[in-house]
Amino acid sequence: MEAVIFDLDGVLVDSERIWDEVRRAVVAEHGGTWREEATRALQGMSTPEWARYLVEELGARLSPPEIATLVVKRMAARYAAEPPLIPGAVEVVRQVSARWPVAIASSSPVILIKGFLDVTGLPVGAAVSSEQVGAGKPAPDVYLRAAELLGVAPAECAAVEDTTNGLRSALAAGMAVYAVPNPHFPPDPEVLKQATAVVKKITDLPGALESSPDA
């Protein structure tokens, strides 16, 4: 293992529920109808992908660029005071970065990733949003790009993920996957079985990484 790549939403910031609340509200306000499967379907999508989904699948009466701008603006407002950091997450990234290069591979827009990094000052070697690559999770693109920017082969990277689509993305990239299951949106058990290790909370991650035979 030569590098560790972190997801952001649900791993370092407790934002999955905020994304869900904001998207639901915007869809309802603009004539759409939320569907039960939408929450899980949207997890991991890039900004252009989820914007099209809200319009084409859920019926919001805005253009995809308009709805993306509105949702991201509201998310930025929720982040304005400070990102909803998961307890211990920032300290974990600092601890891990003392031994390995680290990166962030997230489906969040660049503006929210930047806001997180500005507040925390974390020593991140690369930060990639899925809106900057070909496709969002579960496609492997965002993880492959993060590994490329670190100068490390994907097979030599560990990825830290919490949701089904995130786990699938990292697995498709050929990385060792450390799962921190999201308690609000638990990942598919069959996908979770493919993880290298499963930890209950982010503060358990350093120990799991250190005990890896490839560490």
Side-chain angles (χ1 to χ4, degrees):
M1 188 167 62
E2 298 294 335
V4 180
I5 304 177
F6 290 87
D7 176 40
L8 183 63
D9 295 299
V11 171
L12 305 180
V13 293
D14 190 12
S15 53
E16 293 286 9
R17 284 184 294 175
I18 300 176
W19 275 109
D20 199 51
E21 291 169 11
V22 169
R23 287 171 174 152
R24 283 175 183 263
V26 169
V27 167
E29 290 166 14
H30 293 276
T33 303
W34 197 264
R35 297 206 300 257
E36 182 179 351
E37 69 272 16
T39 295
R40 291 188 184 278
L42 289 163
Q43 288 172 345
M45 286 188 185
S46 68
T47 302
E49 289 169 339
W50 61 249
R52 288 194 299 271
Y53 187 97
L54 298 186
V55 173
E56 296 171 5
E57 301 296 329
L58 303 185
R61 292 194 288 270
L62 291 171
S63 69
E66 287 172 336
I67 205 165
T69 298
L70 181 55
V71 170
V72 172
K73 181 179 179 180
R74 291 194 185 179
M75 286 296 297
R78 298 284 286 268
Y79 272 50
E82 59 179 339
L85 302 175
I86 289 176
V90 171
E91 292 75 14
V92 165
V93 177
R94 291 191 189 282
Q95 183 178 346
V96 171
S97 69
R99 177 160 183 188
W100 297 282
V102 299
I104 288 175
S106 173
S107 297
S108 272
V110 172
I111 187 173
L112 296 186
I113 299 173
K114 183 178 185 301
F116 168 78
L117 293 175
D118 287 346
V119 167
T120 61
L122 285 173
V124 172
V128 184
S129 166
S130 58
E131 68 182 19
Q132 298 173 301
V133 296
K137 302 172 184 178
D141 303 44
V142 69
Y143 275 106
L144 295 175
R145 179 58 176 157
E148 180 184 7
L149 290 173
L150 289 177
V152 178
E156 296 174 349
C157 294
V160 187
E161 270 289 354
D162 67 313
T163 62
T164 299
N165 282 346
L167 293 167
R168 285 176 170 151
S169 173
L171 288 165
M175 298 183 178
V177 182
Y178 288 75
V180 191
N182 191 305
H184 311 297
F185 309 106
D188 183 326
E190 292 303 312
V191 177
L192 193 61
K193 285 179 183 177
Q194 300 175 58
T196 299
V198 179
V199 298
K200 289 185 177 180
K201 53 187 184 298
I202 192 65
T203 50
D204 295 332
L205 178 68
L209 291 173
E210 292 288 350
S211 64
S212 168
D214 298 322

